[in-house]
Amino acid sequence: MSSGDLRKPITARQLARMIGVSQSAVSRAYTPGASISSEMRQRILSMADSLGYSPNAIASTLSKRRSNIVGIVVSAMQNPFYPVLIEKLSRGLQEVGQQSLLFNLTHGADIRQQLAALRQYSVDAVVIVSAAPLSGAALTWATEGRTTIMINRTVPDSSLTSVCCNNAEGARAISDHFHALGRRRVAFVAGVPHASANLERQHAFIARLAELGMTLTASVAGGEYSYEAGYRAALEVARTTRTEAIFFANDILAVGGVDALRDEMGLSVPGDIAVAGFDDIAMAGWPRYSLTTFRQPLDAMVERTVQLVTGKAEPAETNIHLLPGELIVRKTTAG
């Protein structure tokens, strides 16, 4: 096709002039429930289709004061858990007529400055799926006047709504599993140190160990949710302690840990050290790892989030929606 065959899209004003109707009639034809006869709507839509016209979403936003756009705030994209969550969330929002606008909080940048971008865009709601520690005050300021939902995180002493897997339940289940296997000397490897999900898993795991009379041999701060952090932490645990099992705060840490224990330390997993993670990412099921983990109920979390965004969720007694997960036992503990 030559450049001369390319035409600029026609505007609503031009379409209205061609049909002989007002511009507001064109707008009403594309607005569900608007006051316009079915015959007139069909006439406008048919002519628009033949001329290649489509309504301007930005102009529609300005006139209706609703954008049907949900801002999704993300970070730590090196963790495979988040791309899957974002894909499922975007698809769930699309199914109810909502589009997504991604805001990526880059590592090392001024988070408050990045959050300020939320105030500059016309989004109807904000969903926070970031692992980066964010204060309740900063989030409340950045999302003022919009429905705001946090997934997989909570902010203490905040009125913001959260949708989370029951992290404490999962951590206790892994403690009980290690105990049932006869592993009494165990370690914990953390991810992002101040992230709420990490803290909930860590505190519940250590408390349950004490209840069961088990020994915490080490609590290592990985510093981030990454393969490299898990690899380094596993080497530290194996070289400095006598440990029979390690609970990594998430799966990508655990995957790095398994490789370090096997390939660099020459240890058997689970013969010498049993390993468990959290999330149940796709890699956890790969034959190379066959990782025991606690599965987050992603589909249920996305469904509840979409219900909250659209105002269709059942009333709850608390602003924290805890959903049950499931312990998945594989070969890194029961091989």
Side-chain angles (χ1 to χ4, degrees), residues 17-98:
R17 190 182 304 121
M18 292 177 183
I19 301 174
V21 298
S22 66
Q23 188 174 341
S24 64
V26 172
S27 176
R28 291 197 302 274
Y30 283 92
T31 304
S35 176
I36 186 173
S37 69
S38 58
E39 292 81 7
M40 178 60 73
R41 173 179 278 117
Q42 188 56 48
R43 178 185 168 197
I44 293 172
L45 295 180
S46 296
M47 180 65 76
D49 183 61
S50 67
L51 295 172
Y53 168 81
S54 59
N56 186 309
I58 296 176
S60 178
T61 294
L62 294 174
S63 64
K64 299 175 188 175
R65 297 191 177 182
R66 281 194 62 84
S67 63
N68 291 330
I69 296 175
V70 176
I72 302 178
V73 179
V74 303
S75 69
M77 293 296 283
Q78 74 273 23
N79 179 359
F81 173 77
Y82 285 107
V84 175
L85 171 58
I86 293 164
E87 192 277 331
K88 286 179 176 287
L89 177 60
S90 297
R91 189 168 64 237
L93 290 168
Q94 286 177 351
E95 289 173 355
V96 295
Q98 303 286 319

Side-chain angles (χ1 to χ4, degrees), residues 7-311:
R7 295 182 302 173
K8 291 178 61 177
I10 68 170
T11 65
R13 178 176 298 176
Q14 291 169 329
L15 177 65
R17 190 182 304 121
M18 292 177 183
I19 301 174
V21 298
S22 66
Q23 188 174 341
S24 64
V26 172
S27 176
R28 291 197 302 274
Y30 283 92
T31 304
S35 176
I36 186 173
S37 69
S38 58
E39 292 81 7
M40 178 60 73
R41 173 179 278 117
Q42 188 56 48
R43 178 185 168 197
I44 293 172
L45 295 180
S46 296
M47 180 65 76
D49 183 61
S50 67
L51 295 172
Y53 168 81
S54 59
N56 186 309
I58 296 176
S60 178
T61 294
L62 294 174
S63 64
K64 299 175 188 175
R65 297 191 177 182
R66 281 194 62 84
S67 63
N68 291 330
I69 296 175
V70 176
I72 302 178
V73 179
V74 303
S75 69
M77 293 296 283
Q78 74 273 23
N79 179 359
F81 173 77
Y82 285 107
V84 175
L85 171 58
I86 293 164
E87 192 277 331
K88 286 179 176 287
L89 177 60
S90 297
R91 189 168 64 237
L93 290 168
Q94 286 177 351
E95 289 173 355
V96 295
Q98 303 286 319
Q99 298 300 319
S100 304
L101 182 61
L102 207 63
F103 295 85
N104 185 22
L105 302 182
T106 53
H107 181 70
D110 185 334
I111 288 180
R112 184 178 175 89
Q113 186 176 24
Q114 293 183 79
L115 284 175
L118 282 171
R119 298 170 64 94
Q120 300 172 16
Y121 286 83
S122 179
V123 296
D124 296 334
V126 178
V127 178
I128 312 290
V129 296
S130 166
L134 304 170
S135 72
L139 287 176
T140 300
W141 169 79
T143 61
E144 184 179 10
R146 301 178 176 96
T147 299
T148 304
I149 314 296
M150 294 183 292
I151 300 183
N152 197 38
R153 63 172 292 115
T154 58
V155 175
D157 303 320
S158 170
S159 61
L160 294 171
T161 299
S162 297
V163 176
C164 302
C165 170
N166 192 326
N167 291 299
E169 171 197 48
R172 287 192 295 267
I174 289 169
S175 302
D176 292 345
H177 180 55
F178 285 162
H179 186 271
L181 294 172
R183 309 294 175 117
R184 297 294 184 267
R185 297 178 57 81
V186 301
F188 177 78
V189 173
V192 178
H194 301 298
S196 60
N198 183 90
L199 291 173
E200 290 165 9
R201 294 168 195 174
Q202 182 175 10
H203 293 162
F205 180 69
I206 293 174
R208 185 59 175 158
L209 295 185
E211 292 172 3
L212 295 171
M214 299 165 71
T215 300
L216 180 70
T217 60
S219 182
V220 178
E224 61 183 13
Y225 290 122
S226 70
Y227 175 94
E228 293 77 14
Y231 196 101
R232 292 191 301 267
L235 293 180
E236 180 179 341
V237 171
R239 287 169 174 166
T240 60
T241 69
R242 291 188 299 109
T243 294
E244 300 168 339
I246 306 175
F247 171 33
F248 292 83
N250 80 344
D251 286 348
I252 195 61
L253 287 168
V255 164
V258 168
D259 281 348
L261 295 172
R262 286 174 173 166
D263 300 340
E264 188 154 339
M265 297 299 298
L267 298 172
S268 168
V269 177
D272 296 314
I273 299 182
V275 169
F278 205 108
D279 289 340
D280 197 28
I281 62 175
M283 290 176 67
W286 291 4
R288 159 71 180 176
Y289 301 107
S290 189
L291 178 68
T292 291
T293 185
F294 194 80
R295 176 182 293 163
Q296 294 215 51
L298 272 184
D299 291 337
M301 291 164 68
V302 166
E303 181 181 6
R304 182 66 58 84
T305 300
V306 172
Q307 290 172 347
L308 289 164
V309 165
T310 56

